[in-house]
Each structure stands twice: as C-alpha cells, then as structure tokens.
C-alpha cells in the first residue's frame, strides 16, 4: 500500500509539473507573439470593437495640496504636498489600506476587477480619509469623502468612479516660538490692527498664530524687532539686541540659479557668499523624499546639507542674517533638531536649536544685524533642507 501511495504521489507531482511547464510555454508563446506584433497592416489603427475585456490596473487617486494662501482652492500660490497619509475603507467600513501622497500630491489606490494586487476590486462605495497633521487646518473641509465605484466593462480596470475624490487642501500649523533673556511684549498684527498682545517672561515661548495675523512684533529690553509672518511656523531663536531694522534692504537668495542640472554642489560666490558642504537639487531629484518637495517654496530647487553633515555659508565682509526656511529632508527624520550657529569673526554670537518637520518648512528668523559665518548641523546627521535665505547687506 505504501508503495502504491508513493507512486501516486510521484505521478501527481509529475503531472502538476507537466501542466505548469505547458502553461509557462503557452504564456511565453503569447508574449513572443505579442512582441512580434501583427503582420496585417490593416489592423494597425483599427477602432476597437470588442469592449468586453478589462485587465489593466488603474490608479484611483486622492490629491492633497498645501494651501499656502488658505483660500480653499488649488491656486498659483499652492503646491502638492508629499507624505500625507490617506486611508481607504470599503462600504462595510473595513480598512483596506493607508497610503502616503507622492511628490505630486497623489495617494494612488490601484483598482482592477482582475488584478489581485489591486486594492479596489469590486463595485461599491468606498471611503477615503486624509489624516490631518496636528495643528494643521483643512481649508477645503473635505478630508473625509465617500465615493461610488461602478462596474464598467471595456474600461481599463473594469471599474469607474462617479468622480474622483475632490482635492483636499491643508494649511500648515502656524505659531511663533523663541527664547527671551529678559521681559518683553509680543504683539500680533493683522492688516495693521493689533490682534493680540502677550507679555513674555524670560525663557522659552510658543504661541499659535491666528489665520488673519500677518506680522509679529517684539518690544522691550532692547530686543525690539518686527517680522512679517509667512504661511509657516516662525522660530525667532534666542532674541538678540540690535536686530535688523524693518527699514533695512533685504535680499532673498534662492537656489534656482545654481545650475540647470538636477543636482550640483553650490559654488563659492553664489549669491555673494561662500558655501561649504551645501548642494542644490530639484525637489523631485531624490525619490520619495518628502522634505525636498515640501521644503521647496519655488517648486524647483532647494539646498541641503550634504550627507547630513554640518554645512556653512558666510563672507569675509559682515552681512545681516535675517532668516531662512528650514525643512527636514525625510519623514523618517520628523522632529530632527537643527543647530544653527552664527559667528562674527571668531566670536560665536548666536546658537539656536530648531525643531524641523518634513511636511512644511519653519521660518527661522534670528534677524542678526552682522555675521560672517553661519553653520548648520543636525543632531542625528539627517539632511536639513534650505530655501529662501534672506540677508541684509
């Protein structure tokens, strides 16, 4: 009996192997025939007549953008945001997948009635939920959307939506933080009107900024300064005496003119400064790097600290270091701490630690009247992304 069972088992294996080989041979033959093409020229541009087959994979996409001006529309001032999580659920409420938006702002959910790797495989109502970062505002009020997919033979995937999910706009969290060595008063302005006034004791401070605030003022103890607010969080560092005045002529140094290549080291002399260990690249040069995309205010080139090691810019002649936009290069380094050290000659005149995010830049604005060298490093040697360096000369 045992011998018969062994014979049957071996026979089954041989049969299964034979069938597998035949299937592989037929598949190879079909691929070869398809690669060779059709010998009949009459079929080269013929209209399709059989619409029954639907075997392709097609992305059903949720688009998320950084609503820079906060108007609820994807406009000229706005840009796609990378790294935002979008979750999909079926009509029973069962969780299907959580995907992150790519460099174009799309979370792509593959759909197909035939392909096993598709996430959306059958008609029904699906729910797509954007995970909103803490403190951020949904300007479009549509982070949770339900849409119906219907069966459509002849379509690429066999499915078609009643429409695509509507674009979801997110406005970054805005706050002002810093440190004061003496008592000062912080005032928030909007269109020239006082919105809020806060007395600050010596030490660290952090305050959320209302949507309509466009300027922050610090007064008292010789630490006076006035900073126009950007759409992003602001970090003033340790407040120093003798800040750059509001009447000073400011120059913004971007990195779009470093090169026409996708990537290049920043040359000394660019923007009238010397540079060490800083490279310029397009936001999409490095695949799946959220911070290079989200930190590019011009939607083109940014600079970054090469290999995450300390980098410097400076000049033999003193210049004013007003501000710079700083972003963490990767979501894997979310919360990385940058150390910004500023010298005047051989004297270290400022040293600030700035917490970075890969989702949006932080506007670091020490407003130092005279420096000759600025060093940027990170605590764990992750890359820091720079854009819109503002100086006074």
């Amino acid at each position: 009996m045992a011998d018969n069972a062994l014979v049957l088992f071996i026979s089954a294996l041989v049969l299964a192997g034979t069938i597998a080989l035949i299937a592989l041979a037929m598949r190879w033959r079909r691929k070869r025939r398809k690669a060779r093409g059709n010998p009949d020229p009459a079929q080269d541009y013929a209209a399709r007549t059989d619409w029954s087959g639907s075997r392709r994979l097609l992305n059903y996409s949720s688009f998320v953008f950084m609503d820079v001006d906060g108007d609820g529309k994807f406009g000229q001032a706005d840009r796609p945001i990378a790294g935002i999580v979008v979750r999909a659920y079926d009509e029973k409420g069962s969780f299907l997948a959580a995907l992150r938006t790519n460099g174009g702002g799309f979370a792509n959910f593959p759909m197909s009635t035939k392909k096993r790797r598709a996430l959306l495989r059958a008609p029904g109502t699906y729910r797509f939920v954007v995970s909103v970062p803490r403190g951020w505002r949904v300007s479009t009020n549509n982070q949770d959307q339900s849409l119906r997919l219907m069966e459509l033979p002849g379509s690429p995937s066999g499915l078609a939506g009643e429409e695509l999910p509507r674009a979801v706009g997110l406005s970054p969290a805005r706050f002002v933080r810093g440190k004061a060595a003496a008592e000062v008063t912080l005032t928030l302005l909007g269109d020239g009107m006082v919105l809020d006034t806060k007395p600050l004791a010596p030490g660290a401070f952090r305050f959320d900024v209302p949507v309509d605030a466009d300027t922050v003022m610090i007064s008292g103890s010789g630490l006076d300064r006035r900073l126009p607010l950007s759409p992003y969080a602001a970090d003033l560092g340790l407040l120093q005496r003798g800040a750059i005045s509001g009447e000073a002529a400011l120059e913004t140094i971007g990195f779009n003119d470093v090169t026409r290549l996708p990537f290049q080291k920043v040359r000394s002399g660019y923007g009238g400064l010397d540079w060490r260990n800083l490279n310029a690249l397009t936001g999409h040069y490095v695949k799946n790097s959220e911070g290079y995309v989200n930190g590019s205010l011009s939607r083109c080139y940014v600079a970054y600290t090469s290999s995450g090691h300390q980098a410097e810019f400076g000049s033999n002649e003193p210049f004013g270091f007003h501000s710079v936009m700083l972003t963490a290069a990767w979501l894997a380094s979310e919360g990385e701490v940058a150390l910004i050290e500023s010298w005047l000659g051989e004297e270290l005149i400022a040293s600030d630690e700035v917490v970075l995010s890969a989702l949006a830049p932080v506007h670091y604005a020490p407003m130092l009247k005279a420096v000759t060298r600025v060093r940027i490093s990170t605590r764990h040697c992750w890359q820091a992304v720079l854009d819109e360096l503002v100086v006074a000369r």
Side-chain angles (χ1 to χ4, degrees):
M1 291 292 289
D3 290 343
N4 291 337
L6 180 61
V7 169
L8 287 173
F9 177 70
I10 294 174
S11 299
L13 285 178
V14 171
L15 179 62
T18 302
I19 293 173
L21 287 173
I22 292 172
L24 286 173
M26 292 179 66
R27 185 178 179 185
W28 176 81
R29 185 179 179 184
R30 284 196 302 270
K31 283 187 175 182
R32 186 180 178 187
R33 187 187 301 125
K34 188 174 181 180
R36 261 179 27 192
N38 193 331
D40 183 5
Q43 300 299 315
D44 287 351
Y45 310 106
R48 181 171 176 173
T49 57
D50 181 5
W51 294 90
S52 59
S54 301
R55 303 190 62 86
R56 295 188 180 184
L57 201 68
L58 188 70
N59 286 331
Y60 191 70
S61 303
S62 177
F63 176 70
V64 185
F65 67 96
M66 190 179 297
D67 195 352
V68 177
D69 55 14
D71 66 353
K73 302 175 183 177
F74 182 52
Q76 294 299 314
D78 309 320
R79 60 187 191 275
I81 181 170
I84 295 296
V85 175
V86 183
R87 290 181 171 84
Y89 302 85
D90 66 17
E91 58 186 1
K92 295 180 181 179
S94 299
F95 170 73
L96 296 177
L99 303 181
R100 291 190 185 271
T101 55
N102 59 24
F106 292 98
N108 293 319
F109 294 88
M111 67 176 181
S112 174
T113 56
K114 300 293 184 181
K115 300 294 184 180
R116 290 185 177 181
R117 64 180 182 273
L119 294 172
L120 314 178
R121 300 189 60 192
T125 299
Y126 293 85
R127 183 169 162 238
F128 301 90
V129 182
V130 173
S131 178
V132 182
R134 187 174 63 178
W136 286 49
R137 182 175 65 89
V138 184
S139 62
T140 49
N141 196 30
N142 63 345
Q143 68 270 30
D144 191 331
Q145 302 180 55
S146 293
L147 297 109
R148 182 165 182 77
L149 295 183
M150 297 161 288
E151 188 172 8
L152 183 60
S155 65
S157 67
L159 295 170
E162 55 185 340
E163 61 177 328
L164 284 172
R166 294 187 180 275
V168 177
L170 301 180
S171 293
R174 290 212 307 165
F175 53 82
V176 176
R177 68 188 177 202
K179 293 181 180 179
E183 291 183 353
V184 295
T185 299
L186 183 149
T187 303
L188 293 173
L189 304 175
D191 288 331
M193 305 292 292
V194 175
L195 302 178
D196 198 3
T197 300
K198 301 178 184 295
L200 302 180
F205 61 86
R206 183 190 185 281
F207 294 102
D208 291 334
V209 173
V211 174
D212 49 352
D214 56 27
T215 305
V216 60
M217 285 198 320
I218 302 289
S219 57
S221 301
L223 302 174
D224 300 43
R225 66 202 58 220
R226 182 186 184 103
L227 176 70
L229 293 171
S230 76
Y232 313 101
D235 192 317
L236 307 181
L238 177 63
L239 303 179
Q240 304 278 347
R241 293 178 181 272
I244 295 174
S245 70
E247 291 73 36
L250 300 178
E251 175 188 349
T252 300
I253 301 174
F255 299 96
N256 291 346
D257 298 324
V258 171
T259 180
R260 292 185 179 181
L261 299 173
F263 168 86
Q264 183 175 292
K265 184 173 287 295
V266 182
R267 295 186 177 93
S268 288
Y270 179 77
L273 297 174
D274 294 324
W275 306 83
R276 185 175 73 85
N277 202 31
L278 281 159
N279 304 329
L281 50 66
T282 62
H284 294 275
Y285 180 73
V286 182
K287 187 177 180 181
N288 298 327
S289 53
E290 302 86 0
Y292 293 117
V293 173
N294 299 332
S296 176
L297 279 75
S298 65
R299 288 167 283 186
C300 199
Y301 287 82
V302 293
Y304 74 96
T305 55
S306 184
S307 298
H309 286 64
Q310 65 182 25
E312 295 182 355
F313 59 88
S315 172
N316 291 330
E317 296 295 324
F319 61 96
F321 177 27
H322 182 275
S323 60
V324 66
M325 294 291 185
L326 297 172
T327 311
W330 307 87
L331 268 176
S333 64
E334 185 73 9
E336 174 67 293
V337 177
L339 174 63
I340 318 297
E341 300 168 289
S342 300
W343 278 267
L344 180 58
E346 298 301 317
E347 180 186 1
L348 178 64
I349 61 172
S351 179
D352 294 313
E353 291 188 338
V354 180
V355 179
L356 305 180
S357 171
L359 296 176
V362 59
H363 188 197
Y364 172 61
M367 302 181 72
L368 301 172
K369 185 175 288 185
V371 303
T372 52
R373 181 165 55 105
V374 176
R375 176 184 294 166
I376 302 172
S377 59
T378 54
R379 184 177 294 174
H380 304 95
C381 278
W382 287 85
Q383 295 93 331
V385 178
L386 290 71
D387 203 359
E388 292 195 357
L389 169 64
V390 180
V391 299
R393 285 188 279 217

